[in-house]
């Protein structure tokens, strides 16, 4: 049976209505809020997004990894509606509600952390990262934090300080938060290897700060914005050992990797290493703003009363959505599905790597995969322009792609995990055709 075509293009891209709204956007919206793709959304379901000109795209960006259960999942919409009609807000720390407690219970049971686990909820990934560090500082009574080269943890001041890339995020914003130290992250394509990266961290303890001053090491189990670099298992095990040796809290930032994206509910499960704190956001609530910190009860209970909180933290509608997201992940087997999507995408990416010299690397865990573009295989000099050209060509053909990487030379997969086999094949064919146009030119 012929695969149904999901992509349907009725105008040139961008179409006239998208163009007009984006012109208005340029006049009314502050310039730093750049829009990466030249279309304006009208509605979206599953993996398909239709723009205001009636063009339907397959969306591999999914709001930057927020829609693992897809756009507008009926069960999630129903849960949101039900809660919306009951009440939208009380401030949980003034009047409590059950969805908050139930979500804490369910996520506590799912977190790859043994012993009693407690939770706190927030709005954005950055806010949850900030709070994880507060928990670690108030538990250890130490000032320092270690983050890695290539890390992305958000844009608020502490999260921004933990974020590695100076431009565009940090330029002109200093001074940043003190007592943040940076160490190399392993990269199987470019180096360093895990041993070298761990040695650099040990050296940091010798040359820059004593480990007794460090409250937390903050790790992305697979770097997201930094270029979809999975942490090698021996590196994560080495970090756990260092944290145990020195009483440092290991914080796993699973904002992008969580909720089945890598083929496990949480990416830390790939390594058989338990973090002390786990930061979650993005796909937790299928698009409503919600984030959280899960962690060992001993750490989570350490701060004094009201040391963490906020008016909107743990919105009940978002939490009702999150409970439905967990049901969908479980009932629709999305961890298994992420693994099978990953196998299909990986084999196509490896074929592209064999065919095209500028496709230097293909990597990632489960359905969190990327290809990296280089000018040539020997120098491995980054080729961000090629990545941009492929993204642009794919958009013109109906596939929405997103770049990643410190040098912007990777293209990543963050498609909803509810994608059908036919949609996946169609999207990969469009990606392949776009590569052929750009790389054969
Ligand atoms: N941590 C990671 C690993 C992320 O990928 C991001 C966002 O991309 C953040 C934190 C920040 O999340 P937010 O944009 O919700 O503040």
């Amino acid at each position: 049976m012929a695969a149904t075509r999901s992509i349907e293009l009725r105008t040139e891209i961008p179409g006239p209505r998208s163009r007009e709204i984006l012109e208005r956007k340029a006049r009314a919206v502050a310039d730093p809020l750049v829009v990466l793709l030249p279309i304006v959304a009208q509605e979206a379901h599953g993996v398909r997004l239709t723009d205001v000109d009636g063009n339907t795209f397959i969306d591999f960006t999914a709001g930057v990894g927020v829609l693992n259960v897809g756009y507008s999942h009926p069960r999630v919409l129903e849960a949101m509606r039900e809660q919306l009609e009951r009440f939208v807000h009380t401030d949980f720390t003034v009047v409590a509600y059950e969805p908050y407690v139930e979500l804490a219970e369910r996520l506590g049971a799912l977190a790859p952390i043994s012993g009693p686990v407690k939770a706190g909820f927030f709005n954005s990934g950055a806010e949850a990262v900030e709070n994880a560090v507060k928990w670690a500082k108030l538990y250890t009574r130490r000032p320092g934090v270690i983050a890695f080269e290539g890390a992305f943890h958000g844009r608020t001041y502490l999260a921004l300080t933990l974020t590695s890339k100076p431009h565009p995020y940090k330029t002109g914003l200093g001074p940043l938060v003190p007592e943040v130290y940076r160490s190399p992250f392993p990269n199987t394509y470019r180096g360093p290897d895990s041993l070298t990266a761990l040695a650099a961290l040990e050296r940091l303890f010798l040359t820059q700060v004593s480990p007794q001053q460090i409250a937390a090491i903050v790790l992305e189990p697979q770097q997201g914005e930094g270029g979809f670099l999975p942490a090698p298992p021996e590196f994560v095990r080495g970090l756990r050992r260092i944290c145990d040796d020195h009483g440092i809290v290991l914080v796993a930032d699973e904002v992008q990797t969580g909720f089945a994206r890598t083929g496990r509910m949480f990416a830390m499960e790939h390594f058989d290493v338990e973090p002390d704190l786990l930061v979650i956001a993005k796909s937790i609530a299928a698009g409503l703003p919600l984030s959280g910190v899960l962690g060992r009860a001993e750490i989570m209970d350490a701060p004094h009363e009201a040391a963490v909180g906020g008016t909107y933290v743990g919105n009940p509608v978002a939490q009702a959505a999150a409970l439905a997201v967990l049901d969908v992940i479980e009932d629709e087997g999305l961890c298994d599905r992420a693994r099978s999507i990953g196998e299909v995408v990986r084999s196509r990416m490896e074929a592209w790597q064999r065919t095209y010299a500028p496709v230097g690397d293909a990597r990632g865990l489960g359905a969190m995969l990327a290809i990296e573009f280089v000018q040539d295989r020997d120098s491995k000099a980054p080729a961000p322009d090629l990545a941009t050209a492929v993204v642009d060509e794919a958009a013109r053909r109906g596939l929405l792609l997103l770049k990643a990487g410190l040098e912007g030379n990777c293209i990543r997969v963050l498609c909803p995990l509810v994608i059908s086999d036919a949609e996946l094949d169609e999207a990969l064919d469009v990606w392949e055709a776009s590569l052929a146009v750009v790389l054969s030119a």
Side-chain angles (χ1 to χ4, degrees):
M1 197 170 69
T4 352
R5 277 196 64 86
S6 320
I7 295 172
E8 205 185 314
L9 301 180
R10 295 184 177 168
T11 68
E12 56 171 4
I13 308 299
R17 181 95 178 100
S18 288
R19 206 186 285 273
E20 183 221 315
I21 295 171
L22 289 174
E23 280 164 14
R24 279 166 48 206
K25 178 255 170 200
R27 287 191 294 274
V29 180
D31 281 353
L33 294 147
V34 286
V35 174
L36 296 177
L37 293 163
I39 57 164
V40 173
Q42 175 75 4
E43 62 178 278
H45 301 275
V47 72
R48 304 178 194 187
L49 181 144
T50 302
D51 75 3
V52 287
D53 294 289
N55 301 301
T56 298
F57 300 81
I58 292 181
D59 185 1
F60 266 32
T61 76
V64 194
V66 169
L67 295 156
N68 288 356
V69 301
Y71 285 105
S72 315
H73 194 290
R75 291 177 70 182
V76 179
L77 291 187
E78 185 52 34
M80 286 179 192
R81 254 184 238 117
E82 217 176 88
Q83 180 58 45
L84 196 59
E85 280 169 15
R86 267 185 280 146
F87 62 95
V88 176
H89 175 80
T90 65
D91 186 333
F92 180 77
T93 58
V94 177
V95 177
Y97 37 86
E98 191 172 0
Y100 195 115
V101 179
E102 189 182 342
L103 190 60
E105 289 168 344
R106 283 186 67 180
L107 288 170
L110 287 168
I113 301 174
S114 48
V117 172
K118 287 194 165 183
F121 294 101
F122 305 97
N123 299 295
S124 68
E127 195 185 353
V129 167
E130 300 249 344
N131 280 290
V133 172
K134 280 191 189 176
W135 259 298
K137 287 190 179 191
L138 291 166
Y139 173 69
T140 58
R141 302 187 181 284
R142 299 173 179 182
V145 188
I146 293 173
F148 293 99
E149 288 176 12
F152 186 89
H153 298 292
R155 289 180 170 87
T156 53
Y157 257 82
L158 175 55
L160 179 70
T161 311
L162 295 172
T163 288
S164 167
K165 193 175 174 176
H167 193 78
Y169 305 120
K170 296 155 104 165
T171 308
L173 292 175
L176 300 175
V177 176
E179 295 293 335
V180 171
Y181 300 87
R182 196 163 305 283
S183 197
F185 191 80
N187 180 329
T188 49
Y189 181 52
R190 293 174 180 275
D193 62 17
S194 293
L195 273 184
T196 312
L198 288 169
L201 180 54
E202 300 275 14
R203 189 159 171 77
L204 186 149
F205 290 147
L206 203 64
T207 58
Q208 295 190 54
V209 63
S210 127
Q212 279 69 42
Q213 292 298 301
I214 298 298
I217 294 180
V218 185
L219 163 81
E220 288 164 271
Q222 171 168 321
Q223 285 193 341
E225 303 307 297
F228 276 33
L229 294 165
E234 63 278 12
F235 180 69
V236 184
R237 284 195 291 269
L239 292 183
R240 181 68 271 177
R241 180 180 41 75
I242 288 169
C243 286
D244 290 342
D245 286 351
H246 301 294
I248 298 170
V249 173
L250 182 60
V251 180
D253 177 346
E254 294 242 21
V255 167
Q256 199 159 155
T257 53
F259 300 98
R261 170 57 48 193
T262 69
R264 303 284 177 91
M265 186 60 92
F266 297 110
M268 286 302 283
E269 295 167 41
H270 288 280
F271 310 119
D272 246 347
V273 170
E274 291 190 9
D276 300 301
L277 300 179
L278 190 80
V279 182
I280 50 178
K282 287 199 187 278
S283 269
I284 181 176
L288 288 187
L290 182 67
S291 64
V293 179
L294 312 173
R296 291 203 290 116
E298 187 191 349
I299 303 173
M300 298 295 285
D301 287 339
H304 45 277
E305 258 180 35
V308 299
T311 306
Y312 294 109
V313 293
N315 174 270
V317 181
Q319 289 181 319
L323 289 166
V325 164
L326 293 181
D327 290 341
V328 170
I329 291 175
E330 282 162 20
D331 296 349
E332 297 188 18
L334 293 189
C335 288
D336 289 346
R337 182 63 186 147
R339 287 196 287 276
S340 62
I341 292 168
E343 279 162 26
V344 172
V345 177
R346 184 186 291 278
S347 72
R348 292 287 279 266
M349 286 179 159
E350 286 171 355
W352 300 339
Q353 202 181 354
R354 286 191 295 275
T355 309
Y356 297 111
V359 179
D361 195 25
R363 58 175 176 256
L365 296 169
M368 188 171 177
L369 296 162
I371 49 175
E372 176 164 348
F373 291 83
V374 291
Q375 288 172 29
D376 66 78
R377 293 262 169 107
D378 294 333
S379 75
K380 295 184 182 171
D385 293 350
L386 290 180
T388 304
V390 172
V391 168
D392 291 347
E393 182 62 30
R396 280 192 289 273
R397 291 166 175 263
L399 173 66
L400 306 181
L401 293 172
L402 199 60
K403 297 204 305 172
L406 272 182
E407 317 248 15
N409 65 324
C410 303
I411 300 179
R412 55 179 142 172
V413 173
L414 286 171
C415 62
L417 303 174
V418 293
I419 191 168
S420 69
D421 289 342
E423 288 167 331
L424 185 58
D425 283 345
E426 186 180 344
L428 293 171
D429 287 348
V430 171
W431 194 339
E432 194 162 295
S434 308
L435 281 168
V437 168
V438 172
L439 300 180
S440 309

